[in-house]
Structures are given as C-alpha cells and as structure tokens.
Amino acid sequence: MLLKDKTVIITGASRGIGRAIAVECARQSGKVIIGHSGSESSKQHVASLIQAIEQAGSRAVDVGADAADPDTGDKLVKAAVEAFGSVDVFVNNAGICPFHAFLNMPREVYYKTVDTNLNGAYFAVQAAANQMKEQGRGGSIIAVSSISALVGGAMQTHYTPTKAGLLSLMQSCAIALGPYGIRCNAVLPGTIETDINKDDLADQAKRDYMIKRTPLGRLGEPDDLAGPVVFLASDMAKYVTGASLLVDGGMFVNLQ
Ligand code: NAD
Ligand code: RM4
C-alpha cells in the first residue's frame, strides 16, 4: 500500500501508459484523478478505468480537459481537492507524437505538439506545486519524458524537444521546489506499444529493428512504467529528486 492516504493526478490517463499508472496507483491505495481529453472515445475508456480502480478497492474522479490548455492544471487540482482533500502526486503523462518529416512540417502540427506535451504541462506542474506548497507536507511530481529526450528521430523533430523540455523542467523544478519538500523526477520510456506508435510499429522492419536493439528482447508494455512511477510517487523515493529513470529494456545503452 505504497500510496495510502495520497491523491494522485494523472494526465492522459484514459489509455496506454497513463491508464496503467492509474490502475497501479489504485492497487497501491492511491485515490486517482483521471485527466483526459474529454473526447467521446476517452469518456468510454474512462468509464471502464473507473470500474477497474473501484475493483482495486480505491476511488477515482475524472476531469475532461485539453492538456494543451494552460487552465487545465487548475481544473485538475480543484477536482482533486474537492473530491479527496489534497494533491500529493502529479504525473504529467498526456502527450502526442504525430510522426512527420521535418522539411515540410506543418506549423499547426508543430504548435499542437509543443502545446500539448510541454506548454500545458508547465502550467499544470505549477498548479500542482502551488497546491502542494499550501498543504505544507511536500509532494511528488513526475513527468513522463522519453528516451527521445536523449536521442533524436527524423520523424519526431517536433516531439523530441518537448520530451527534452520536460526532463529539463523536472531538473529545474527539483531545485525550485526542493525547499518545500516537493520532489520532481522524470521517467524516460523506450518504445512501449500503445496507440501513439501503432502506425509506426506497423512497419515490420522497424518493429524488428526496435526489438533487436532492446537487450531485454521485447518492446515495452504500458504496465512496465507503472512500478517505476509508483516508486517515484511513494515515500520509498523520499530522497530522490532531479533524477531521470530510463525504462527502456536497455535500448539506450545498446549502440547496435
Ligand atoms: P497513448 O496515445 O496511448 O496515450 C496518450 C494519452 O494522452 C491518451 O490518454 C490521450 O487521450 C492523452 N492525450 C492526448 N492528447 C491530449 C490532450 N490534448 N488533452 C488531454 N489528454 C490528451 O500513448 P502513450 O504511449 O500511453 O503516451 C503517454 C505518454 O508517454 C506520452 O507523453 C508519450 O510521449 C510518452 N511516451 C510514450 C512512449 C511509447 O513508446 N509509447 C515512449 C516514450 C514516451
Ligand atoms: C517515444 C519513442 C518511441 C516512440 C514514441 C512515440 O518517445 O521515440 O520509440 O514510439 O515516442
């Protein structure tokens, strides 16, 4: 019960990595605020997620709001305080990666990616941190960055800077918020099979190459992120701040 008495906000929690984190947080007794886009399809995913969380013996409330909107963080915090009385953990997970070449990158794709992945995140982290400061008992902020913060991708020139930006944001916030006992860390997933890369990994040659590069011999599953995030969220990581944790099956250290 690593998250007993803690309220956890997770953005982009309707599917993929965010959903797996939400379920594990509930299993560890955390109460969950499910951030999601508010689209019709995300509402359906959220209904089944709330059921899964209740089956795990915990409680959840959902907030449909665009992660790119600078007011979304305030809405998530307000919902958490109203429903459960506090914000103890904030997981910034929502993100998009519309794979596209660089030379003809449409401006709207670039701006949408940066707004969703980084600009909205900045103000959401700020909202969560202000609430944690007011509560006066510290907190844990975790950004789902990426191996892409450390390496490039020809079809991800709009995306990799956002992931490097999140990593850098956690490093600077670790310093800014340390005096309040608020820890800030990043997890860096490798290649995890979700909707975000469904089309990209449909290319069998690319898929085989990604698996071959991974020493553990398989692509990641969303649940592979759940344990590392719960660890960083919990008091087990009470002296861990400013850290980045690769969760990539060893892909980054393999040059081949
Ligand atoms: P996914 O597409 O399954 O999930 C993305 C989530 O973000 C969904 O719940 C989606 O509804 C939500 N989202 C997207 N745009 C939103 C918006 N405007 N407002 C609110 N919510 C929004 O993909 P995933 O792989 O689970 O991605 C989760 C995070 O993990 C992303 O930040 C992604 O960059 C990161 N990541 C993924 C991989 C991977 O290989 N899958 C690797 C490294 C990092
Ligand atoms: C990640 C990494 C993965 C890719 C996803 C979309 O950061 O680059 O390989 O599938 O993004």
Side-chain angles (χ1 to χ4, degrees), residues 85-141:
S86 68
V87 175
D88 305 290
V89 180
F90 178 73
V91 183
N92 195 89
N93 167 75
I96 56 171
C97 182
F99 286 79
H100 202 289
F102 173 65
L103 291 174
N104 60 350
M105 175 70 68
R107 286 184 182 174
E108 61 272 20
V109 175
Y110 173 79
Y111 283 120
K112 186 171 182 198
T113 305
V114 177
D115 283 344
T116 305
N117 295 6
L118 184 59
N119 290 337
Y122 184 94
F123 293 106
V125 167
Q126 187 187 52
N130 273 306
Q131 177 61 29
M132 289 171 182
K133 179 189 165 210
E134 199 178 304
Q135 290 166 193
R137 53 168 201 263
S140 172
I141 297 175

Side-chain angles (χ1 to χ4, degrees), residues 26 49-60:
L49 176 57
I50 290 178
Q51 270 185 358
I53 286 173
E54 287 174 353
Q55 273 162 17
S58 191
R59 291 161 61 204

Side-chain angles (χ1 to χ4, degrees), residues 11-19 35-39 41-42 45 63-69 72 92-97 112 115-117 144-148 156 159 162-163 166 187-197 201 220 222 225 247:
T11 66
S14 64
R15 294 181 283 125
I17 292 171
R19 185 184 183 97
H36 64 99
S37 69
S39 70
S41 75
S42 73
H45 292 301
V63 177
D66 187 350
D69 183 339
T72 289
N92 195 89
N93 167 75
I96 56 171
C97 182
K112 186 171 182 198
D115 283 344
T116 305
N117 295 6
V144 180
S145 171
S146 171
I147 189 173
S148 299
Q156 294 172 296
Y159 171 81
T162 68
K163 294 288 143 177
L166 284 173
V187 289
L188 282 56
T191 299
I192 314 295
E193 285 201 89
T194 66
D195 288 348
I196 208 172
N197 49 26
L201 294 173
L225 269 301
V247 186

